[in-house]
Amino acid sequence: MSQKTLLLGASRRPELRRLVTGTPATRRVVDRFVAGETLDEALAVVRSLTGQGIAVTLDHLGEGVTDRGEAERSRDAYLALLDGLAPLRLGRAAEVSVKLSAFGQALPGGGTDLALELVRPVVEAATAIGTTVTLDMEESATVDSTLGVLAELRRDHLGTGAVLQAMLHRTLADAEALAVPGSRVRLVKGAYDEPSSVAFRSRDDVDAAYARCLGVLMRGPGRPMVGTHDPRLLSVARRLADEQGRAPDSWEVQMLHGIRVDEQRRLAAEGVCVRAYVPYGADWYGYFMRRLAERPANLRFFLRSLATTT
Ligand code: FDA
């Protein structure tokens, strides 16, 4: 079993969650990826990044809730976030990203309907302050449900965004279906452990699929959001945007908070629209484990900090 598969498996194990989150040394490593545990800390990061010409999408950390009460608390956290953003008057420079599993999507007996019911007021509150919501994409089994919720939300809020994962075999068709006027699609490689029956497993195959899907989105009338830190795919994106004669403000690059920060600043200085994905909140375990899984060097750094402080 690969190290990546092990870490992604661990990201779903509650007993390991306690082991990792209860260790003081973890904090320093987590701080690199997470903007803080409180809304005030997150808003300070928003002010700083937008002041440097980098837009943001904020993620209130949490996923896989197990009852309706927890799902309602996710909704309330996002409503508080949008209240906090309102006086900053940043419009679309500060939008939000949500994981529907934090809104009850996986609950038995109508989870998709519950997620739609609870996410709708968040989308309405975002529209009211002139910004948008993007639905993050989770495990492949949730894609139909998430795209169903997206279609419902787009009836009244056309700019609601989706995430497509290039690693999934289905994604080229999904990209074609979403290359429509007003759509916003963040294309990413995919952070979950998926079987070869539904996903490309080799890096080369995933990269080639990414380039194909990005071509579809760049040729379409929507707003492609290029969610990657990969230098090769970033040059593909710029070439495709040039070939299509796209205006610089008609597409954007998105990167995660704390990753390739110098490159984020460099691209923004060159006139590329750059948006940082800024997670905050106390429930950082799943997000953090996926970041460790993406890069062996992160795991080594994490294990070294454990060894030097315990
Ligand atoms: P790749 O993994 O090849 O990395 C390229 C380079 O980027 C590395 O060599 C390294 O320099 C740097 N890098 C990448 N990851 C790093 C890390 N963790 N730590 C340090 N350096 C790193 N996935 C998903 O399934 N659903 C979603 O909704 C989202 N949402 C999302 C939003 C945004 C804005 C981004 C950028 C990414 C996501 N992802 C995601 C995650 C995505 O699927 C993917 O796992 C990561 O972006 C890593 O893949 P890259 O494309 O960056 O390439």
Side-chain angles (χ1 to χ4, degrees), residues 4 32-33 57 97-99 134-139 162-167 186-192 203 207 210 226-231 233 253-260 275-278 287-288 290-295 297-298:
K4 184 170 181 170
R32 176 172 166 210
F33 300 112
T57 183
S97 288
V98 303
K99 285 190 173 47
T134 297
L135 307 183
D136 283 353
M137 197 57 85
E138 302 175 72
E139 284 90 350
V163 177
L164 294 180
Q165 297 153 323
M167 72 189 300
R186 176 197 305 150
L187 184 65
V188 300
K189 289 187 183 181
Y192 296 83
R203 168 176 275 274
D207 290 359
Y210 193 106
V226 184
T228 185
H229 314 92
D230 187 330
L233 292 175
V253 168
Q254 296 192 350
M255 295 194 199
L256 301 175
H257 175 64
I259 299 182
R260 300 204 71 204
R275 189 180 297 275
Y277 182 104
V278 179
Y287 181 87
F288 175 67
R290 288 193 293 279
R291 303 297 77 81
L292 291 190
E294 275 157 7
R295 201 160 179 246
N298 290 344

Side-chain angles (χ1 to χ4, degrees), residues 44-297:
V45 171
V46 169
R47 280 192 211 89
S48 159
L49 288 172
T50 52
Q52 299 167 53
I54 294 180
V56 293
T57 183
L58 283 140
D59 166 35
H60 178 262
L61 289 163
E63 51 197 89
V65 300
T66 52
D67 63 45
R68 185 182 173 109
E70 275 183 83
E72 287 174 351
R73 282 196 286 285
S74 295
R75 173 201 59 198
D76 296 345
Y78 274 96
L79 293 176
L81 165 59
L82 289 159
D83 264 357
L85 286 175
L88 304 185
R89 297 185 181 285
L90 291 166
R92 289 190 175 209
E95 69 132 26
V96 301
S97 288
V98 303
K99 285 190 173 47
L100 290 184
S101 76
F103 287 74
Q105 183 183 41
L107 296 185
T112 299
D113 291 343
L114 176 64
L116 175 60
E117 175 196 325
L118 295 180
V119 83
R120 197 186 286 281
V122 174
V123 175
E124 285 164 356
T127 302
I129 66 161
T131 193
T132 48
V133 173
T134 297
L135 307 183
D136 283 353
M137 197 57 85
E138 302 175 72
E139 284 90 350
S140 59
T142 66
V143 176
D144 281 329
S145 159
T146 301
L147 293 182
V149 170
L150 175 79
E152 285 301 320
L153 295 170
R154 287 193 79 232
R155 287 172 195 268
D156 296 322
H157 305 272
L158 195 63
T160 307
V163 177
L164 294 180
Q165 297 153 323
M167 72 189 300
L168 299 183
H169 298 151
R170 60 174 288 165
T171 293
L172 188 60
D174 289 334
E176 278 159 1
L178 284 176
V180 292
S183 90
R184 295 168 52 256
V185 178
R186 176 197 305 150
L187 184 65
V188 300
K189 289 187 183 181
Y192 296 83
D193 192 33
E194 303 288 355
S196 55
S197 52
V198 298
F200 300 109
R201 301 272 303 175
S202 82
R203 168 176 275 274
D204 284 353
D205 287 347
V206 174
D207 290 359
Y210 193 106
R212 280 195 299 277
C213 295
L214 191 55
V216 169
L217 296 172
M218 284 285 188
R219 284 190 290 279
R223 181 179 183 84
M225 306 189 285
V226 184
T228 185
H229 314 92
D230 187 330
R232 271 194 332 145
L233 292 175
L234 289 166
S235 4
V236 170
R238 295 183 83 169
R239 179 174 53 70
L240 286 167
D242 279 351
E243 279 169 15
Q244 296 305 313
R246 277 190 166 268
D249 65 355
S250 73
W251 65 286
E252 63 188 54
V253 168
Q254 296 192 350
M255 295 194 199
L256 301 175
H257 175 64
I259 299 182
R260 300 204 71 204
V261 175
D262 290 345
E263 182 65 3
Q264 295 183 26
R265 293 201 189 104
R266 199 184 64 75
L267 288 170
E270 280 182 15
V272 175
C273 289
V274 177
R275 189 180 297 275
Y277 182 104
V278 179
Y280 75 98
D283 193 2
W284 43 259
Y285 176 73
Y287 181 87
F288 175 67
M289 294 302 275
R290 288 193 293 279
R291 303 297 77 81
L292 291 190
E294 275 157 7
R295 201 160 179 246

